[in-house]
Amino acid sequence: MTPSNVAQPAADDPIRVAAFEGRIAAGETIEPKDWMPERYRKQLIRMMSQHAHSEVVGMLPEGNWITRAPSLRRKMSLLAKVQDEGGHGLYIYCGTETLGVDRHDLIDQLLSGTAKYSSIFNYPTLTWADMGAIGWLVDGAAIVNQTVLAKCSYGPYARAMLRICKEENFHKRQGYEIMATLSKGTPAQKAMAQDALNRWWWPSLMMFGPSDKDSPHSAELLRWKVKRKSNDELRQRFVDLTVPQAHAIALVLPDPDLKHNTDTNHWEIGPINWDEFFNVIKGNGPCNRERLEARRRAHAEGAWVRQAAEAYAAKQRGRAQSTAA
Amino acid sequence: MSNDAKSGTDGQWPLWEVFTQAKSGAPHEHAGSVHAPDAEIALQNARDVYARRGEAVSIWVVPTAVIAATSPSDTGPFFDPASDKAYRHPQFYKVPQGVRVF
């Protein structure tokens, strides 16, 4: 629900901030109509809208393969997955609106290119195996991230995450199944799976964001329990989960430095190429322009649907009035 | 087409709160919200967004603008009257030792 912003003071009253931080420290959940510091509201709007945009843009790399899925079973799964991503975008936009912003403005920001979204979706999907790698790795990484966000201090965001996590388990499993099937297939199919893993592994690790020492927002977000774990902790959890999964389907992770630390029981990875990450964020990834153009085209081509819905609603209202009269 | 997209409200429709009932006999619970030009489309959108996996057997949609809610600043005084009435709870009443009341 939309909060009333009328009573918001211009600058945050330190007494109210202290009371707010006390509530957070006590593990309370913040709800839309509760008082919150402007900075908390802004940070949430930034994070949640970027997350919603990522779900929406995330439909594009996979939508690309729906018509070329190798079987009806795979096609149905992919359609359902892409539809879920659209739904996830809507859950999070709806959650963001509780902070007093308008979905329409957020979508304008996405279409005009001023909004950010996850850099992973600016990589191309070159082969069918990319559908496997995305489900397994990209959704797998998203689940690790979102499972923790489901405990975040802002109620509407946490509740949207719970719903999304339940649905994304299917996304991950269908992706892993694609990879396992290809890996057991012909040498060419196995090579295709390995190639997809080679291209998606590092960008998936980058999804957790820069190392905490270089992440400008981390400390504040952790204090406010918007984030509950650091980027590096989440990345490590993902690596530890994924390495045995790769071994189980006889694929090799493209990291010569990858090794198991028997003392910590963690898999340790080699250095991440952060220059690539920041370059993609700045708009220089392989598909940044293509993604936005596809999104703008889809929005423009959907205009007639929105107009038809409005015309239908107006007609129904007209009929209701004439029967009432 | 791009001109058309700018005309009208371009999907800038009123907000509806969505309540879903998981199974017969269960209460309707808040699931989230959708934008829609009327109640019929709000119900269809709510089904597509909040019930893709059989999560609901019934859906209510309510225009967000007509919902009245308590405000957090009222929370204390508004709910106060209930906080000093322990005699509304069964534990308030003494029962002879060894007697099973329920």
Side-chain angles (χ1 to χ4, degrees):
Chain A
M1 288 197 281
T2 315
S4 63
N5 289 326
V6 190
Q8 291 288 331
D12 287 334
D13 175 355
I15 296 169
R16 293 187 106 175
V17 174
F20 171 85
E21 296 199 333
R23 291 190 61 198
I24 300 260
E28 284 184 40
T29 301
I30 307 302
E31 292 295 338
K33 293 178 83 181
D34 293 349
W35 186 86
M36 61 188 84
E38 264 320 292
R39 176 101 183 128
Y40 178 85
R41 184 187 303 277
K42 285 220 170 74
Q43 285 283 41
L44 274 169
I45 292 172
R46 181 187 63 82
M47 256 179 92
M48 292 173 73
S49 62
Q50 283 180 15
H51 195 161
H53 296 326
S54 302
E55 298 285 352
V56 169
V57 177
M59 291 191 278
L60 301 172
E62 293 178 296
N64 188 30
W65 278 91
I66 289 172
T67 56
R68 291 177 286 165
S71 70
L72 184 59
R73 182 178 182 271
R74 294 283 189 230
K75 186 173 184 166
M76 289 191 305
S77 304
L78 191 57
L79 267 171
K81 178 179 191 296
V82 171
Q83 192 192 12
D84 275 350
E85 309 296 0
H88 297 175
L90 289 175
Y91 303 160
I92 310 172
Y93 280 131
C94 133
T96 317
E97 287 194 308
T98 64
L99 292 160
V101 290
D102 203 289
R103 185 181 74 178
H104 204 256
D105 295 337
L106 298 177
I107 291 174
D108 275 350
Q109 288 164 14
L110 174 64
L111 296 177
S112 67
T114 55
K116 280 187 185 161
Y117 55 85
S118 181
S119 62
I120 193 95
F121 301 117
N122 289 319
Y123 290 87
T125 44
L126 304 177
T127 69
W128 170 251
D130 289 23
M131 298 304 98
I134 288 180
W136 173 33
L137 302 175
V138 177
D139 288 85
I143 291 169
V144 167
N145 199 12
Q146 290 165 353
T147 307
V148 179
L149 280 173
K151 293 173 202 137
C152 105
S153 60
Y154 189 57
Y157 198 20
R159 291 190 286 274
M161 287 305 109
L162 270 183
R163 192 177 282 277
I164 288 177
C165 284
K166 274 190 210 156
E167 300 186 350
E168 278 190 343
N169 285 330
F170 133 63
H171 299 180
K172 178 177 173 174
R173 282 177 71 130
Q174 66 88 37
Y176 189 57
E177 188 190 273
I178 291 172
M179 293 299 264
T181 307
L182 288 172
S183 185
K184 279 188 302 196
T186 64
Q189 286 169 333
K190 179 161 188 187
M192 188 196 274
Q194 182 62 54
D195 169 65
L197 174 56
N198 292 350
R199 284 181 290 107
W200 290 95
W201 173 248
W202 290 105
S204 301
L205 296 180
M206 294 175 198
M207 282 176 68
F208 296 95
S211 181
D212 300 300
K213 57 185 193 305
D214 306 317
S215 175
H217 303 292
S218 276
E220 186 178 58
L221 293 174
L222 284 165
R223 183 160 50 93
W224 281 338
K225 296 187 182 171
V226 173
K227 287 173 79 163
R228 307 296 305 254
K229 300 255 186 219
S230 74
N231 295 351
D232 289 328
E233 284 175 292
L234 292 170
R235 185 164 21 244
Q236 186 61 54
R237 181 184 292 188
F238 173 71
V239 170
D240 290 339
L241 277 170
T242 311
V243 173
Q245 291 164 358
H247 291 165
I249 57 173
L251 294 177
V252 181
L253 292 165
D255 179 355
D257 297 326
L258 184 72
K259 61 173 184 298
H260 190 250
N261 182 329
T262 44
D263 295 335
T264 60
N265 205 22
H266 286 308
W267 285 92
E268 292 172 358
I269 55 170
I272 293 175
N273 180 358
W274 290 113
D275 290 342
E276 175 184 326
F277 174 78
F278 288 113
N279 202 31
V280 176
I281 283 196
K282 273 187 219 135
N284 303 321
C287 298
N288 294 54
R289 280 173 50 119
E290 190 184 325
R291 296 288 181 245
L292 272 188
E293 276 162 21
R295 189 62 226 133
R296 287 190 197 116
R297 193 167 60 242
H299 189 76
E301 288 175 356
W304 71 271
V305 180
R306 297 190 289 276
Q307 287 163 3
E310 273 170 42
Y312 179 75
K315 190 167 108 185
Q316 295 298 104
R317 272 194 301 275
R319 278 197 186 149
Q321 277 161 10
S322 62
T323 22
Chain B
M1 193 52 100
S2 61
N3 280 342
D4 290 351
K6 296 269 185 290
S7 72
T9 57
D10 193 27
Q12 172 74 316
W13 297 326
L15 200 56
W16 303 69
E17 297 303 320
V18 177
F19 299 82
T20 54
Q21 184 188 33
K23 55 178 194 290
S24 159
H28 284 71
E29 284 184 357
H30 186 241
S33 59
V34 293
H35 288 269
D38 66 10
E40 188 181 347
I41 296 173
L43 282 170
Q44 289 174 7
N45 286 353
R47 175 202 57 199
D48 293 345
V49 177
Y50 296 103
R52 282 193 301 282
R53 287 175 173 76
E55 296 96 329
V57 295
S58 163
I59 299 178
W60 295 345
V61 290
V62 183
T64 305
V66 304
I67 293 182
T70 55
S71 95
S73 56
D74 293 343
T75 302
F78 190 79
F79 294 104
D80 248 353
S83 58
D84 60 350
K85 295 179 177 60
Y87 49 86
R88 287 177 175 169
H89 298 279
Q91 294 78 4
F92 184 76
Y93 300 94
K94 291 188 181 67
V95 170
Q97 201 120 43
V99 177
R100 213 180 140 176
V101 187
F102 300 107

